[in-house]
Amino acid sequence: MIDRRAGGNRLDSIRKRQGNSPCREYFKFLPEPASLELINDPELSFATFFILLPLVREKIPDENLSVRDRTAANLCGIIQNSKKANGDFLRPAYNESTHEALRWIFTTGADDDGLGEDFDHLLDIAAGILEKKYHDADILPKLVRMIFRRGKKGAYLHDLVWALYQSRDPKGLELAAEHLKSPNENEAELAQTLLHLKPQSNTPKARRKLYGSYLHWLEENSPYLYFTGENFNESSTPNACSVDLGAKYLYRKISHGTRRPATPLTEFEQNCLTCFANAPDEEKEFLAQFSQKMRAKDPAYWNRWIRYPLQRQIETAHHGGEGHI
């Protein structure tokens, strides 16, 4: 039985306190029953599993490994033999076992980011697949923390940022926005870049103000956001998401990934969008903002206003709405 008196897994404890080599030596001379119990332990971290993996393959038959460990070992082999960053090469292996193994790899491995090039690459791929394929919102806090830790160290972070954008989840943007108010100027600048914000005066007061205004913008526009697919592989200042002004004008929530409305548009709504498309470009954002706010404030008035001819909509919007001045 595993001794829990010290808490955690014995292999993890040795690695963290004494280092990788003593951990390997300890595992190497363990009897097979003990080594199997420790390596299949649910509390084992992926970092320890990773540094022991060559010995695991020598000592323990695949069929004796837990589903988690066997799947993770297979994934490590596939990923290490591929240079692709988007995880498409794993498509045939997409299933719930893969999801759970990738989540274990990332969530227990994140704190050991920097262990080595191959290890960090595995974390990047795991994050990418977890977001692109599974849209796993639970890993977003760890993912964002990793991005900014690497940013502080000047380490490679493009694949992690790609994973963040692949989540297609405004929660990730909100988590990144927390770093806008950081006392560290470089950290705040990275947050501005990730969120496609114009450079601001880098005083603490200005950073806090930018954070507040961004959160207000995100709360207002979150139902109408769609992710563009832009990332650092295409631009040094990617615009990861945009507001669908037509959806905002109709007060209709859309899918952040596909940009489709949550439910099909009615014929009337389709006609409204056609009229909206004919509005001058400089008026569209104003018109959408007015429509969204008025729909929330006074639905009865909004139902009349949305049926006005386009020019009358624009004119009344500029006057605050009839009866709302």
Side-chain angles (χ1 to χ4, degrees), residues 17-282:
R17 293 179 182 178
Q18 301 177 43
N20 294 346
S21 293
C23 184
R24 291 189 186 101
E25 285 299 304
Y26 178 82
F27 184 77
K28 183 177 181 179
F29 293 104
L30 271 178
E32 184 174 326
S35 60
L36 180 60
E37 186 176 12
L38 285 169
I39 210 69
N40 281 337
D41 179 15
E43 293 195 21
L44 181 73
S45 74
F46 174 69
T48 299
F49 179 83
F50 179 78
I51 65 115
L52 294 175
L53 187 52
L55 290 172
V56 171
R57 286 173 170 150
E58 289 178 11
K59 289 186 65 173
I60 303 175
D62 279 358
E63 59 268 22
N64 291 346
L65 291 173
S66 66
V67 173
R68 178 202 69 183
D69 288 359
R70 188 164 60 250
T71 305
N74 289 336
L75 291 173
C76 287
I78 296 170
I79 292 170
Q80 287 174 307
N81 288 326
S82 176
K83 297 299 182 184
K84 296 180 181 178
N86 61 12
D88 282 343
F89 54 91
L90 279 181
R91 190 177 298 277
Y94 286 157
N95 53 47
E96 193 52 35
S97 294
T98 298
H99 184 190
E100 291 304 317
L102 288 169
R103 177 182 276 200
W104 176 62
I105 287 170
F106 185 80
T107 58
T108 71
D111 290 340
D112 290 288
D113 184 41
L115 188 66
E117 185 176 343
D118 284 350
F119 180 81
D120 292 353
H121 179 61
L122 282 164
L123 294 183
D124 291 356
I125 295 294
I129 300 172
L130 284 168
E131 294 308 341
K132 181 181 180 182
K133 168 62 180 177
Y134 299 103
H135 300 293
D136 193 330
D138 291 342
I139 75 162
L140 286 175
K142 277 185 180 285
L143 175 57
V144 172
R145 284 197 295 271
M146 274 184 66
I147 289 171
F148 284 92
R149 280 203 306 267
R150 286 195 188 177
K152 287 179 181 178
K153 295 186 295 185
Y156 179 76
L157 50 74
H158 287 192
D159 286 344
L160 290 180
V161 174
W162 181 84
L164 175 65
Y165 294 160
Q166 286 295 315
S167 73
R168 300 173 181 175
D169 191 335
K171 181 63 178 178
L173 305 178
E174 183 180 343
L175 290 166
E178 291 286 335
H179 298 264
L180 290 170
K181 54 185 179 179
S182 169
N184 182 293
E185 291 187 12
N186 291 332
E187 184 177 342
E189 287 175 359
L190 174 57
Q192 290 177 33
T193 300
L194 293 178
L195 300 174
H196 199 66
L197 299 174
K198 294 180 180 179
Q200 302 288 316
S201 170
N202 231 336
T203 64
K205 182 178 180 181
R207 292 197 290 269
R208 289 193 299 271
K209 183 178 179 181
L210 180 61
Y211 169 70
S213 62
Y214 182 79
L215 282 193
H216 176 76
W217 177 88
L218 188 61
E219 181 180 8
E220 178 181 314
N221 293 291
S222 183
Y224 322 111
L225 284 182
Y226 66 94
F227 282 75
T228 64
E230 285 188 28
N231 57 73
F232 277 127
N233 294 327
E234 301 168 346
S235 170
S236 60
T237 56
N239 185 16
C241 64
S242 291
V243 178
D244 187 316
L245 293 178
K248 189 174 181 178
Y249 170 72
L250 288 179
Y251 202 73
R252 289 294 304 270
K253 184 176 181 179
I254 61 171
S255 163
H256 301 306
T258 66
R259 201 177 173 178
R260 297 191 187 99
T263 56
L265 298 181
T266 65
E267 183 178 353
F268 171 72
E269 288 172 325
Q270 293 281 11
N271 292 335
C272 286
L273 276 186
T274 300
C275 292
F276 180 78
N278 292 325
D281 288 342
E282 64 272 14

